[in-house]
Amino acid sequence: MPETIAIHAQASPGSHQVLGACPHDCPDTCSLLTTVENGIATKVQGNRNHPQTDGVLCTKVSRYTERTYHPERILTPLRRSGPKGAGQFTPVPWDEALADIAQRLGAIAADPARGPQAVLPYSYAGTMGWVQGEAMADRFFNRLGASLLDRTICSSAGGAALEATLGGKVGMRVEFFAESKLIIIWGSNAIGSNLHFWRYAQTAKRNGAKLICIDPRKTETAEKCHEHIALRPGTDAALALAVMHQLFTHDWLDHDYIGQHTLGWEALRERALQWTPERAAQVCGVPVEQIYALARDYGASVSSGEPAAIRLNYGMQRARGGGNAVRAVACLPALIGAWRHRAGGMLLSASGTHKFDDSALSRPDLRTGGATRTINMSTIGDDLLRPSSPDFGPRVDALIVYNSNPVAVAPDSGKVVQGFARDDLFTVVLEHFQTDTADYADYILPATTQLEHWDLHTTYGHTDILLNRPAIAPVGQARTNTDIFRGLARAMGFTEACFDDDDLTLCRSGLDARVDFNLLLTQGFVSLPAPDAPFAHGGFGTPSGKCEFFSARLAAQGGDGLPDYLPNHELGLAGSVYPLAMISPPARNFLNSTFVNVKSLRSIEGVPMVEISALDAAARGIHSGDVVRVFNDRGQYHCHAEVSDRARPGVVNGLGVWWRKLGPQGTNVNELTGQRLTDMGRAPTFYDCAVELEKCENARPTTT
Ligand SMILES: Nc1nc2c(c(=O)[nH]1)N[C@H]1C(S)=C(S)[C@@H](COP(=O)(O)OP(=O)(O)OC[C@H]3O[C@@H](n4cnc5c(=O)[nH]c(N)nc54)[C@H](O)[C@@H]3O)O[C@H]1N2
Ligand SMILES: Nc1nc2c(c(=O)[nH]1)N[C@H]1C(S)=C(S)[C@@H](COP(=O)(O)OP(=O)(O)OC[C@H]3O[C@@H](n4cnc5c(=O)[nH]c(N)nc54)[C@H](O)[C@@H]3O)O[C@H]1N2
Ligand code: SF4
Ligand SMILES: [Mo]
C-alpha cells in the first residue's frame, strides 16, 4: 500500500502530496492535500477530488503550516518550575515525565480516601479525530477507573432536541441546499463557520432562491442575505412559534404529511395559537412585519411546491431555552411537508446518519471497578472547587487535559482559574502550545498536529468518512496523543494488549464492513450511501417513528412535552443592573481559541473587542477604539469597543475566544459568562449573559 500518493501535477520534482482531513470542530471536515518537500510541509490545500471540499479551504487552515512550524510550538515535555499559572517550565526527558505522572496518578488511585475517581480527563474537539481524540485516552481512563466527563460544552442542547424531535442527528444533505428556493440561515454565521454550505447557498441564490438570516448580530452572512431578522438572543422559540401561528391560521400546512408522519399536531397548534406575531415581536424585539413576511415566505412553499430549507447552527442553542428553541424550529419542516423534497427540510447536524460502534476503540469493558461518576465539563469552574462529599464523591485531585483549552473556553473563567490554580490539584496538559490552560499545568506534554499523525474522521456537516495520513515526522519531541496514553499505560503497569495497538490499527478498529478501507487509503475519503431526502416518507428515529411535536419522553421528565419559549436566565433588559445582553460568537479567523496565537490570523482579527450599537455607545460616551470595561457579578473583561451596526441596540457582541493572556488585563469574554445550564442536554449558556459596560479612562490599549 502506498504511504503517500501524488495526486496533482503541481507537486514539484522531489516533493509529494499527502491526503489528510481537517481536524477542526467545523461542520465542513475538508479533505486536505499537504505538499511535502524534503520532509517539510510547505503547503496545505483543499482536495479538488473531494466534492464537499472542492479544492477550497478557509483562511485559517490554509495557514496550517504556519501553526505547525510556529516558533512557540512546545518541543519537549515541560515540568512546572514556578507558581501555578506563572507559565514557568523546565524541559524534562519523556521517560522522567511519564514515570512521575504515572507515580502521581497511581498514588491518588491507590489512596482509599481518594481513589481513581479523583482523576478526571478533560478534553473536547481540538481534534475531531477518533484516534487522537478519545480512542487510546478512553482505554487508559477506563482501565484506571477515572471519572467520566460529560462532553456538553458545544452541541448537547441541540443534540438532545434533535433526538427528541427527529430521533437523531440527521438532516438534509448539504449539497442539496444548492437547489433550495428559500433558505433560512438560523443562528449561523455560515461565511465564517460553514464556508462550504455557504457556497451551496450562493448557488441557490444565483438560481433565484431567497436567503433569510436570523441572528442578533449583523454578520457577514446576514449582510449577504435578502433579509436579516435581528432578534434578541434566546428568543428563537418565540419566533418559531409565531411562524407556526401563521401556518396554522392560514392553513399553510401539508395535512397529508402531518397526518402520516407527525405526532401531536393538535397540541402544537394550541401552543402556537398563543403566539401571535405581535406577541413574538415584543419578545424578540423585531418589527412584526418581519414575522409576517417570514411566515408568508415559509408557508408559500406549500402551494408553490418549491423547496424551503433551514440551516440551523449551534449558535442559537447556547441560552437557557436552547433545547426548546431547536425543537420548535425542528417542527417547522414537517408542518409544511418540506422533507418531501431533497432540497427541503433542515440541517443542524448529520452526524447520526451513519452510526458506528466505538466500543472497540474506547473499550468500556476495561472499566472493571464498577460504576463511576460523571462530571459535566461545562461546570468545571465549580467542580474543581468542590470538596469531597457523599454526593459529589472525591474532590478532583488530578486533571489530564488534551484537545481542549478550558481556562479560555469554559464559562465563568474566574472560577475556572481558581480551580486550576489549586496547589493540591495535579494537572497534565497535552498541547501544541503554551495556552492559558497549559500555564497552570504541572506537566505539559508536546503533542503532534494533524500533519504529524494518523486519524479517522467523521463529520457533522456532511456524511463522508475521511482518513488523515501523517505528512511529516513529529516536530521536535512531540508525540501523538495515542502514544502519550500508551506510554502512560505502560508506566502505570497496565499490561492489556490493547495498549499496544498502533494508530493505523486504531483507524481500522473504528470502522466496519460498510467502509472500504483501501479506498480510504487511496482516495482519502469514502461516501457511504445515504438517502437523498431522509424523511420524505417519514421514518423518523423517534419511539413513534414520527416527527414528535409532542414528546412523551420529554413529558416523562416534567413539562408538557411540547416545545415552548423559555426566557433567558439573564435578560439584559433596559433598566436592570446589567442592561445589555451579550453574545460571544466565533471570530472568523480563529477556531474557538485555536489559531489565536498565529500572528497572521490574529492581525486580521485585530484586538479583543466588543461590538456595540451607536445608541448604546452614545448613552455611555463610548467611541470606537476606546478601551472599555465589560462587567457583571462574575467578573470583568477589558477590551476595545467597536461602535458598529453589527450590534443591535440592547445587545453587545464580544467576539471570542481570545487567549486570556492576550487581553489588556489578562482576561477574555468567558470572565463574564455563567455556569447555568440549558433546558436540555446539560449545556452551557454562553449567549445568555447580561452585562454593563463603561469606558476605561487611562486604559492601556492592546497592541498585538
Ligand atoms: N471560523 C470559525 N468557525 C467555526 C468556529 C470558530 O470558532 N470559528 N467554531 C466551530 C464550532 S466549535 C462550532 S460548534 C460551529 C458552530 O458554531 P456556532 O456557535 O453555531 O457559530 P456560528 O456559525 O458563528 O453561529 C453562531 C451565530 O449565532 C448567532 N447567535 C447568537 N445567539 C443567538 C440566538 O439566540 N439566536 C440566533 N438565531 N442566533 C444567535 C451569533 O451571532 C452567530 O452569528 O462552528 C465551528 N466553526
Ligand atoms: N464565550 C464563548 N465560549 C465558547 C464558545 C463561544 O462561542 N463563546 N464556544 C464553545 C464551543 S462551541 C466549543 S466547541 C468550545 C471549544 O473548546 P475547545 O475544544 O477547548 O477548543 P479550542 O479552543 O479550539 O482548543 C483546543 C485545543 O486543543 C489543542 N489541540 C488540537 N489538536 C490537538 C491534538 O491533536 N493533540 C492535543 N493534545 N491537543 C490538540 C489545540 O492546540 C487547542 O489549544 O468552546 C466553547 N467556548
Ligand atoms: S476549519 Fe472548516 S472550512 Fe476550514 S479547512 Fe477545516 S473543515 Fe474546512
Ligand atoms: Mo463547538
Side-chain angles (χ1 to χ4, degrees):
M1 128 209 6
E3 269 305 292
T4 54
I5 333 154
I7 295 242
H8 292 329
Q10 75 258 31
S12 55
S15 78
H16 62 279
Q17 292 188 311
V18 184
L19 284 165
C22 175
H24 292 298
D25 188 350
C26 167
D28 297 25
T29 313
C30 291
S31 174
L32 307 182
L33 209 51
T34 302
T35 304
V36 182
E37 298 176 66
N38 304 317
I40 307 283
T42 52
K43 199 187 256 182
V44 177
Q45 291 165 280
N47 180 359
R48 274 191 267 131
N49 298 331
H50 181 234
Q52 309 288 352
T53 307
D54 194 25
V56 175
L57 301 181
C58 64
T59 314
K60 309 177 280 296
V61 174
S62 308
R63 309 274 171 89
Y64 206 78
T65 55
E66 206 181 319
R67 187 172 189 277
T68 299
Y69 297 116
H70 196 295
E72 289 160 11
R73 260 301 282 277
I74 297 168
L75 300 175
T76 66
L78 298 171
R79 181 163 51 212
R80 180 162 65 87
S81 54
K84 285 224 171 177
Q88 293 156 10
F89 293 90
T90 315
V92 281
W94 267 110
D95 286 352
E96 201 179 309
L98 293 178
D100 191 30
I101 295 166
Q103 193 275 327
R104 299 281 298 265
L105 297 182
I108 292 170
D111 179 350
R114 299 190 283 176
Q117 293 187 36
V119 179
L120 178 69
Y122 196 99
S123 69
Y124 201 65
T127 170
M128 299 273 287
W130 289 27
V131 172
Q132 307 306 334
E134 300 310 326
M136 205 44 97
D138 267 353
R139 291 177 181 189
F140 178 80
F141 291 112
N142 281 332
R143 172 67 179 76
L144 181 66
S147 286
L148 293 170
L149 185 72
D150 196 5
R151 293 188 171 81
T152 55
I153 204 159
C154 171
S155 60
S156 58
L162 285 187
E163 183 61 42
T165 316
L166 307 179
K169 288 182 170 174
V170 177
M172 284 175 63
R173 289 183 37 189
V174 63
E175 58 269 33
F176 296 141
F177 277 90
E179 300 167 10
S180 305
K181 288 297 173 207
L182 173 69
I183 301 180
I184 303 176
I185 302 177
W186 203 321
S188 167
N189 181 11
I191 294 179
S193 69
N194 195 188
L195 183 64
H196 294 77
F197 154 77
W198 178 248
R199 287 159 54 87
Y200 294 121
Q202 289 289 94
T203 306
K205 192 179 176 193
R206 278 193 298 272
N207 292 330
K210 180 166 186 180
L211 270 53
I212 303 174
C213 184
I214 303 176
D215 193 314
R217 179 171 183 250
K218 190 179 187 188
T219 61
E220 303 91 314
T221 309
E223 281 173 326
K224 294 204 163 58
C225 289
H226 298 99
E227 297 286 339
H228 173 212
I229 303 178
L231 79 187
R232 291 185 59 82
T235 61
D236 300 270
L239 181 61
L241 285 162
V243 171
M244 289 182 210
H245 177 281
Q246 293 293 289
L247 299 181
F248 282 115
T249 49
H250 294 281
D251 196 26
W252 293 328
L253 299 165
D254 184 332
H255 291 280
D256 185 44
Y257 193 92
I258 292 171
Q260 284 192 57
H261 304 307
T262 71
L263 185 72
W265 73 270
E266 295 94 337
L268 183 67
R269 182 181 57 188
E270 231 168 275
R271 163 71 31 88
L273 290 180
Q274 298 162 11
W275 280 94
T276 58
E278 286 71 19
R279 180 179 174 202
Q282 284 285 321
V283 169
C284 301
V286 299
V288 70
E289 295 76 27
Q290 278 199 315
I291 302 181
Y292 281 116
L294 172 67
R296 227 173 16 244
D297 285 338
Y298 196 64
S301 109
V302 174
S303 54
S304 71
E306 292 193 325
I310 302 174
R311 177 60 169 122
L312 210 63
N313 209 346
Y314 286 113
M316 53 111 49
Q317 43 105 66
R318 306 194 201 291
R320 174 185 169 222
N324 267 277
V326 170
R327 244 173 83 58
V329 176
C331 292
L332 293 171
L335 288 172
I336 63 162
W339 291 115
R340 290 182 187 277
H341 200 296
R342 68 180 193 175
M346 171 182 127
L347 175 64
L348 171 55
S349 166
S351 67
T353 307
H354 304 300
K355 292 208 173 90
F356 292 91
D357 175 6
D358 73 347
S359 58
L361 284 177
S362 60
R363 296 292 306 272
D365 57 295
L366 294 170
R367 190 174 283 272
T368 52
T372 185
R373 66 154 168 210
T374 301
I375 289 183
N376 187 342
M377 71 188 303
S378 303
T379 52
I380 191 70
D382 280 340
D383 288 338
L384 287 182
L385 297 174
R386 263 186 235 284
S388 301
S389 73
D391 276 351
F392 181 63
R395 184 179 68 180
V396 177
D397 275 353
L399 193 61
I400 317 290
V401 182
Y402 50 103
N403 304 337
S404 185
N405 184 10
V407 171
V409 305
D412 201 356
S413 19
K415 289 270 186 64
V416 180
V417 164
Q418 235 183 306
F420 270 82
R422 269 176 46 202
D423 267 322
D424 49 11
L425 175 71
F426 177 62
T427 304
V428 179
V429 177
L430 284 60
E431 251 302 347
H432 303 145
F433 294 105
Q434 198 171 324
T435 58
D436 289 328
T437 303
D439 278 344
Y440 288 88
D442 291 283
Y443 279 98
I444 309 177
L445 302 178
T448 47
T449 69
Q450 191 76 345
L451 299 190
E452 301 151 64
H453 54 227
W454 285 100
D455 218 328
L456 183 71
H457 290 262
T458 48
T459 154
Y460 58 103
H462 58 82
T463 55
D464 292 347
I465 294 155
L466 287 84
L467 185 73
N468 183 73
R469 289 164 171 273
I472 56 170
V475 172
Q477 294 180 31
R479 290 192 183 175
T480 56
N481 287 347
T482 46
D483 210 39
I484 296 172
F485 284 108
R486 269 183 215 109
L488 277 177
R490 235 169 269 132
M492 300 281 299
F494 299 164
T495 52
E496 287 80 0
C498 69
F499 290 111
D500 296 328
D501 284 351
D502 64 21
D503 286 1
L504 196 50
T505 306
L506 290 171
C507 288
R508 288 179 190 275
S509 319
L511 299 172
D512 55 38
R514 284 173 293 171
V515 179
D516 177 349
F517 201 79
N518 285 326
L519 190 59
L520 259 187
L521 281 166
T522 52
Q523 187 176 260
F525 66 93
V526 163
S527 311
L528 292 182
D532 278 358
F535 304 127
H537 308 288
F540 293 90
T542 52
S544 64
K546 300 188 172 188
C547 176
E548 294 198 353
F549 301 150
F550 167 77
S551 165
R553 289 179 294 177
L554 290 180
Q557 294 164 27
D560 63 7
L562 292 171
D564 202 355
Y565 162 65
L566 274 67
N568 277 3
H569 292 301
E570 301 181 10
L571 290 168
L573 293 179
S576 62
V577 190
Y578 300 117
L580 296 168
M582 186 190 75
I583 57 171
S584 46
R588 181 168 174 181
N589 292 287
F590 302 150
L591 207 130
N592 300 321
S593 76
T594 303
F595 296 108
V596 178
N597 63 330
V598 174
K599 243 193 165 144
S600 68
L601 293 169
R602 191 165 76 232
S603 64
I604 309 176
E605 286 301 327
V607 289
M609 59 97 169
V610 64
E611 294 166 346
I612 182 167
S613 69
L615 195 76
D616 292 321
R620 292 162 179 81
I622 289 166
H623 299 94
S624 278
D626 286 349
V627 175
V628 290
R629 186 174 82 94
V630 192
F631 61 97
N632 59 20
D633 286 343
R634 287 176 290 269
Q636 51 183 335
Y637 170 41
H638 291 77
C639 62
H640 292 251
E642 189 160 314
V643 181
S644 163
D645 69 352
R646 291 200 186 283
R648 55 159 287 159
V651 180
V652 293
N653 312 322
L655 295 197
V657 180
W658 282 78
W659 286 17
R660 286 167 62 85
K661 53 183 146 189
L662 295 173
Q665 304 275 337
T667 57
N668 74 9
V669 72
N670 278 322
E671 197 75 8
L672 303 166
T673 55
Q675 294 183 67
R676 278 188 287 191
L677 302 177
T678 49
D679 53 349
M680 299 170 69
R682 308 165 305 282
T685 50
F686 289 114
Y687 303 169
D688 179 342
C689 177
V691 300
E692 179 53 293
L693 186 146
E694 67 185 18
K695 185 172 167 167
C696 271
E697 304 297 343
N698 310 318
R700 180 174 58 91
T702 322
T703 44
T704 54

